[in-house]
Amino acid sequence: MQALRGSDAAQRIVTPQDETYTDARLGEKIQFEQFPALITYAKDPREIAPLIKCAQREGVKAVPRNGGHQLGLRTSEQRASANHVSFSSYSALTDTLVIDLGHINYVEVSRDRKTARVGAGIRLGALYMALDQYNTSFAGGICPTVGLTGLVGAGGFNMQMRALGVSSDHVLSAKVVTADGKTLAASATSNPDLFWAIRGGGGGTYGIVVELMLQLTQLPRSAMVDLSWNTTQSRFPVAKRFLEWAPRQPKEFTSQINIHKSTVQILGWYLGGSKKELQALINDSGLLEIGDPHSQIGGDCSTDNSRIFGIVTSECLPDDKVDASILNVVPDPFAKYEDSAQFTFAEHPITTSRATAEPWSRFRRLSKSFFVQKDNLLGDDIVREVVDRVAQLDDAAQVWAEWHAWNLSATGNSAFAWGDQAYAHLEFQAHGSNDSATQAVYEKWFMDLESYLRPAVG
């Protein structure tokens, strides 16, 4: 408790004996494999070094948690293990001291609105809401509950990336607390190796990032597309054409395909493009000639409208009709888990001018992902096979494949390894089951997918 500052320190510590422990140890993923020794909620960057030293004195590892989506680097043993399925709760490991950063979420925009000094625990939705007040934004990801440093630490997929690069390319500097308790400035000129590593090299691997200086971007009004097919037989030809077509389009167009058991959908953001330009792009794609698609193309979309397109709405609406409240998340944004008591502390949204986001649903997530490289594209037989596999599990699994077009126009100097060679990113996700036998079937599906697809992509 001495590591935390202020009279509210006791409120920001959760032990396994507390009724809020289950809620506090869970992020977005519901899991019963990892049980931290203690969970702490920092609200000041100056608390991080004392917490690290506390963990060292007690002989436990200090584990940072930003967004709670719990992505992380794998060990060599985990990479080699056929049993490894990602989203493995690396920010809430057993017998560790979890340092939750979610309440270190300040945003200070420079006078020229070109940069912002940001608390490392802020979630993307809250960051966008804060920057809205300055009519500017950041090249960040889709999900509003993802934490900023988790995004940047993994590179930073976003729907503007084919033109602007991944999110880590837009970080100018950082403050990082290292294992010896020192707070270091990291930039291109100060500790450049550390600066290189924390951008795309894995969250929490080289130190705990407590602050970021971001390069801001006033994103232009854009055109958006939502194409959908409601027949099983359309899934393979649409997926095949998407992979052939989408990564080769103008750099301003970033898109993804969502393949479900009996439907398929394509979403795209044409940064700065008009409805007419996007319509021409889609007309030339060959996609409209497959089956009987429903096509929704809009123009003059605001940035907030673009961020929620395909999630909340599939229209480009007048600005005063855009409900972007899903972005206005609180520091602990996840829904209550069953009958467990919920941890709360200063759960205030970044702005009161918008409605507060509804709690974000948790689920038993299973996931695997693969990069397709430019010099090793997938053959039609492989694409057909993996599309067919999406339909193999029962409806309760809600399996879907979410594939993104890459082929970036420019990449920054960071530890993110895929910037130059990535052609597409293939992610597969499912909802797990409370039933152990059913869960075993689901996990075997992912392991079989790994065994089949990994040799093909490398």
Side-chain angles (χ1 to χ4, degrees):
M1 190 180 300
Q2 293 178 352
L4 300 180
R5 295 166 174 257
S7 58
D8 56 14
Q11 301 174 44
R12 297 186 284 123
I13 298 174
V14 179
T15 72
Q17 289 73 44
D18 291 328
E19 62 177 1
T20 57
Y21 176 74
T22 295
D23 178 82
R25 72 173 180 81
L26 296 178
E28 186 208 36
K29 177 189 174 183
I30 299 170
Q31 54 84 17
F32 289 90
E33 293 82 39
Q34 304 294 342
F35 297 90
L38 199 68
I39 303 162
T40 59
Y41 291 81
K43 66 175 186 179
D44 187 321
R46 294 172 295 179
E47 294 176 330
I48 305 304
L51 285 169
I52 291 174
K53 292 177 180 178
C54 173
Q56 291 171 342
R57 286 195 304 270
E58 298 299 322
V60 299
K61 292 181 179 179
V63 176
R65 181 171 69 186
N66 182 203
H69 285 250
Q70 302 177 335
L71 287 166
L73 290 183
R74 295 176 288 173
T75 66
S76 58
E77 290 82 5
Q78 289 168 324
R79 284 192 294 268
S81 171
N83 293 319
H84 178 72
V85 180
S86 62
F87 284 87
S88 294
S89 308
Y90 294 123
S91 58
L93 297 175
T94 294
D95 295 333
T96 60
L97 170 62
V98 171
I99 303 174
D100 189 287
L101 306 173
H103 292 81
I104 304 178
N105 59 352
Y106 52 84
V107 178
E108 299 173 3
V109 177
S110 63
R111 289 186 178 182
D112 62 8
R113 303 186 182 190
K114 293 182 179 180
T115 62
R117 191 170 69 94
V118 178
I122 197 164
R123 297 179 186 273
L124 297 182
L127 175 63
Y128 302 148
M129 289 288 94
L131 296 179
D132 270 0
Q133 300 172 50
Y134 297 88
N135 192 31
T136 190
S137 196
F138 173 70
I142 300 170
C143 179
T145 60
V146 164
L148 176 62
T149 49
L151 176 81
V152 168
F157 162 81
N158 64 80
M159 288 294 282
Q160 312 95 46
M161 67 182 183
R162 296 192 62 244
L164 303 181
V166 294
S167 300
S168 58
D169 294 339
H170 297 262
V171 175
L172 300 176
S173 64
K175 290 183 180 178
V176 186
V177 182
T178 53
D180 57 5
K182 293 180 180 178
T183 300
L184 301 180
S187 69
T189 57
S190 179
N191 297 299
D193 289 351
L194 179 61
F195 184 58
W196 178 86
I198 62 173
R199 294 172 301 125
T205 307
Y206 310 98
I208 299 179
V209 178
V210 295
E211 183 179 284
L212 292 167
M213 182 67 75
L214 304 180
Q215 178 183 343
L216 303 182
T217 304
Q218 189 177 44
L219 300 177
R221 301 185 79 88
S222 301
M224 307 294 294
V225 60
D226 181 349
L227 302 177
S228 58
W229 293 257
N230 292 320
T231 57
T232 301
Q233 58 265 32
S234 296
R235 296 177 314 137
F236 165 67
V238 172
K240 174 180 180 295
R241 184 61 188 143
F242 175 84
L243 289 175
E244 294 168 343
W245 169 80
R248 294 186 168 98
Q249 294 314 295
K251 66 180 186 300
E252 292 79 13
F253 183 65
T254 300
S255 56
Q256 70 180 63
I257 181 171
N258 301 313
I259 306 166
H260 297 270
K261 192 169 185 177
S262 58
T263 63
V264 61
Q265 176 193 39
I266 291 174
L267 297 172
W269 182 338
Y270 198 171
L271 188 66
S274 68
K275 179 179 179 179
K276 182 179 179 180
E277 291 171 324
L278 182 52
Q279 184 69 68
L281 208 67
I282 299 302
N283 289 346
D284 291 341
S285 70
L287 289 164
L288 299 181
E289 299 167 13
I290 301 173
D292 184 23
H294 172 75
S295 175
Q296 181 79 35
I297 298 177
D300 198 36
C301 249
S302 69
T303 297
D304 280 350
N305 199 160
S306 299
R307 292 197 190 282
I308 65 173
F309 192 91
I311 303 173
V312 175
T313 182
S314 290
E315 297 181 81
C316 287
L317 301 167
D319 291 358
D320 62 352
K321 301 297 184 183
V322 175
D323 180 8
S325 59
I326 192 173
L327 303 176
N328 198 25
V329 297
V330 297
D332 292 294
F334 300 116
K336 181 179 179 181
Y337 171 67
E338 295 185 349
D339 294 329
S340 296
Q342 193 159 21
F343 174 85
T344 60
F345 173 78
E347 304 301 337
H348 308 304
I350 207 79
T351 178
T352 57
S353 64
R354 302 277 185 96
T356 303
E358 292 293 320
W360 192 264
S361 296
R362 288 170 159 146
F363 65 97
R364 292 178 179 270
R365 184 192 293 267
L366 299 170
S367 176
K368 272 190 175 292
S369 63
F370 309 80
F371 272 107
V372 176
Q373 299 179 67
K374 296 175 184 177
D375 59 358
N376 186 27
L377 303 184
L378 297 180
D380 292 353
D381 56 336
I382 296 176
V383 176
R384 184 187 294 275
E385 172 65 20
V386 295
V387 169
D388 287 346
R389 286 179 181 235
V390 171
Q392 289 177 352
L393 293 180
D394 60 24
D395 291 345
Q398 299 183 50
V399 177
W400 78 99
E402 183 178 315
W403 301 353
H404 305 105
W406 280 64
N407 195 16
L408 306 185
S409 60
T411 57
N413 180 26
S414 73
F416 182 65
W418 298 100
D420 292 328
Q421 282 299 315
Y423 178 81
H425 178 253
L426 315 182
E427 185 171 9
F428 300 82
Q429 299 192 49
H431 289 237
S433 174
N434 291 333
D435 179 75
S436 58
T438 303
Q439 180 73 1
V441 171
Y442 294 172
E443 291 181 357
K444 185 178 186 302
W445 184 91
F446 278 94
M447 289 185 284
D448 289 345
L449 177 67
E450 169 78 17
S451 297
Y452 176 78
L453 192 50
R454 188 67 66 187
V457 299

